[in-house]
Amino acid sequence: MDHFLYRNGTLHAEAVPIPDIAAAVGTPFYVYSTATLTRHYHLFTEALSPLPHLVCFAIKSLSNVAVLKTLGNLGAGMDVVSGGEYLRAKAAGVPGERIVFSGVGKTRGEMRLALTGGVRQFNVESEPEMRALSEVAVSLGVTAPITIRINPDVDAKTHEKIATGKKENKFGIPITRAREVYAEAARLPGLKVIGIDVHIGSQLTDLAPFEEAYLKVADLTRQLRAEGHAITRLDLGGGLGIPYARSNDAPPLPTDYGALIKRTVGDLGCEIEIEPGRLISGNAGILVSKVIYVKHGEGRDFLILDAAMNDLVRPSMYGAHHDIIPVAEPPVASPTQEFDVVGPVCETGDTFAKGRDLPLVAEGDLVAFRSAGAYGAVMASEYNTRPLVPEVLVNEDQFAVIRERPTFDEILKRDTIPAWL
Ligand code: LLP
């Protein structure tokens, strides 16, 4: 459920009419709902209670500092994968003890940043990384708390570009070698081993792969404890999928996922961490765009929007589906028409949808891409020198611009011309 609904014939974000925001900031723009972010965060905390737990929002899915502050104020932790994301979490006022540092290639600079600024734990993904972290910690006179991300060799049954838990993927340490790696970690002077981490992929619509992976984590916990490691924390990653198409079967709910966690690892007495991104942010945001032209082509009609692949890359990158709806509510049983929905960027890949049945829309009309909160704005680029689109946060009947659209002056100023020119 989200808070982007038609009221009196017009799409609203909570109590704010979308055309009001369009009039204030121009199109295209992203808009996020505080109520949806809050609701989705609470679904997870309720699903995991009464286990001791921390829900760490995967910042990579939506990293605007105002969104992070919204979640941070509720008590959320943050899962970061770069120094930049770490600084965003800090800028949102999230204390270091609620920031988990993940990622397959952390640099020594990033390790130093987090060790000096405060960090809950590093999720370490390789032996060289583990040795580097120990050295950095020793050089700073501190001890780095770590989990080791294991690769359980489980098929997450999701898009190949976002599956991470098979042995051929670059992530984690093969579970078959986990015991020797934990033994080495325990010997390294700058590290304190506290737990196990696993993340098998994103947009999972079936709970079975989670179950398979978490049962392997439970077994490993017992083995490692028997070998003398104090395993007190399990980071179970993110990945729970969301419904992108209204017509599809609904993916499992956070309550089912919480029950699965309790069933598989709940008796180990560990503190549980999860790192959901998409389920919290995905349906908490839409991308609003304007129809520039309706073009009649050979055997097909094109809806040419002012948003493009640089603003929302998921359809061209993963063939992802986003529902597209008009901002003016179509009358019941109004006729529909098939369109190829495209942006103005100069490549055929700049296609949002092919042969999509849409209510009649005309030049100048506003349309909204649903489920665009996660991996939308964060993956945007300035391809074709199109400015990054503004982000807006709604809270009941208020809205605020939380990132301005840059001016062309600002964009051009970033380029510098060498003296020889
Ligand atoms: N934890 C780790 C270690 C991750 O790598 C990810 C996502 C998450 C948590 C959050 O996963 P989520 O709950 O959002 O599924 N750009 C792609 C998705 C890439 C996901 C990368 N890792 C897309 O647009 O579908």
Side-chain angles (χ1 to χ4, degrees):
M1 193 216 130
D2 61 46
H3 295 77
F4 299 98
L5 299 171
Y6 290 114
R7 294 187 186 190
N8 308 319
T10 301
L11 188 67
H12 281 57
E14 303 189 20
V16 180
I18 295 297
D20 289 8
I21 306 176
V25 303
T27 55
F29 61 90
Y30 279 96
V31 53
Y32 311 120
S33 153
T34 300
T36 313
L37 290 165
T38 305
R39 182 183 128 79
H40 289 169
Y41 167 73
H42 281 138
L43 287 178
F44 279 115
T45 54
E46 282 156 22
L48 291 180
S49 293
L51 294 179
H53 68 270
L54 186 67
V55 175
C56 297
F57 176 58
I59 289 189
K60 63 167 76 72
S61 71
L62 174 53
S63 61
N64 190 291
V65 174
V67 168
L68 305 185
K69 196 166 177 61
T70 301
L71 293 167
N73 285 353
L74 301 172
M78 301 285 150
D79 172 58
V80 307
V81 291
S82 68
E85 285 193 352
Y86 177 85
L87 292 172
R88 282 183 177 278
K90 282 308 213 48
V94 179
E97 66 262 24
R98 283 200 261 135
I99 303 177
V100 171
F101 209 126
S102 299
V104 74
K106 299 170 206 79
T107 64
R108 287 166 189 257
E110 289 172 325
M111 293 168 181
R112 250 187 305 274
L113 178 72
L115 281 172
T116 45
V119 67
R120 180 174 179 82
Q121 99 234 1
F122 292 90
N123 294 335
V124 171
E125 298 218 19
S126 68
E127 289 143 294
E129 185 200 357
M130 186 168 93
R131 293 170 198 142
L133 180 59
S134 176
E135 278 171 27
V136 173
V138 168
S139 75
L140 293 171
V142 297
T143 307
I146 67 156
T147 72
I148 295 176
R149 176 168 176 181
I150 53 114
N151 183 322
D153 194 23
V154 166
D155 181 358
K157 300 196 176 69
T158 183
H159 191 286
E160 59 164 351
K161 286 191 182 158
I162 55 175
T164 57
K166 287 290 285 174
K167 60 174 185 261
E168 59 268 29
N169 302 135
K170 68 179 174 182
F171 300 99
I173 281 172
I175 192 159
T176 45
R177 294 194 41 244
R179 289 160 65 197
E180 60 184 276
V181 178
Y182 271 87
E184 180 183 349
R187 287 193 300 269
L188 288 171
L191 306 183
K192 178 168 193 251
V193 179
I194 57 169
I196 305 175
D197 172 44
V198 71
H199 171 79
I200 56 173
S202 195
Q203 186 54 18
L204 272 73
T205 52
D206 178 5
L207 288 180
F210 285 120
E211 175 139 26
E212 199 183 332
Y214 296 171
L215 286 172
K216 289 188 177 189
V217 168
D219 277 351
L220 183 62
T221 304
R222 293 188 194 97
Q223 276 175 22
L224 292 174
R225 281 178 172 167
E227 286 164 19
H229 301 281
I231 303 296
T232 57
R233 185 178 291 167
L234 300 179
D235 182 332
L236 301 174
L240 197 57
I242 62 169
Y244 275 101
R246 293 280 128 153
S247 47
N248 277 9
D249 289 346
L253 299 172
T255 41
D256 306 326
Y257 177 67
L260 163 73
I261 288 176
K262 288 173 190 165
R263 198 164 68 235
T264 50
V265 298
D267 62 343
L268 295 168
C270 286
E271 183 183 12
I272 302 298
E273 265 166 22
I274 54 169
E275 304 166 351
R278 191 188 315 262
L279 200 134
I280 293 180
S281 56
N283 282 320
I286 60 173
L287 170 65
V288 179
S289 176
K290 189 185 277 182
V291 178
I292 309 179
Y293 299 116
V294 180
K295 173 171 165 176
H296 301 294
E298 190 110 332
R300 57 182 66 219
D301 290 332
F302 295 98
L303 207 59
I304 304 177
L305 304 182
D306 65 358
M309 65 188 288
N310 69 299
D311 305 310
L312 177 65
V313 77
R314 302 192 70 259
S316 53
M317 190 153 176
Y318 312 111
H321 173 101
H322 285 263
D323 277 350
I324 302 168
I325 58 169
V327 167
E329 186 174 18
V332 186
S334 68
T336 60
Q337 188 187 340
E338 253 190 29
F339 286 108
D340 281 8
V341 185
V342 301
V345 161
C346 301
E347 57 177 285
T348 302
D350 185 23
T351 297
F352 290 117
K354 278 194 166 156
R356 182 74 66 88
D357 230 8
L358 292 177
L360 298 183
V361 276
E363 209 171 296
D365 285 357
L366 296 175
V367 296
F369 289 83
R370 296 185 55 89
S371 314
Y375 308 108
V378 287
M379 292 179 78
S381 76
E382 287 180 346
Y383 188 34
N384 280 204
T385 308
R386 294 168 45 84
L388 292 181
V389 307
E391 293 175 275
V392 172
L393 183 64
V394 165
N395 185 13
E396 297 180 356
D397 60 355
Q398 315 173 63
F399 73 91
V401 177
I402 56 173
R403 182 185 290 168
E404 301 268 2
R405 192 190 311 275
T407 63
F408 285 115
D409 272 355
E410 285 164 342
I411 292 176
L412 292 176
K413 240 194 275 167
R414 294 201 310 252
D415 292 9
T416 50
I417 297 181
W420 68 81
L421 291 175

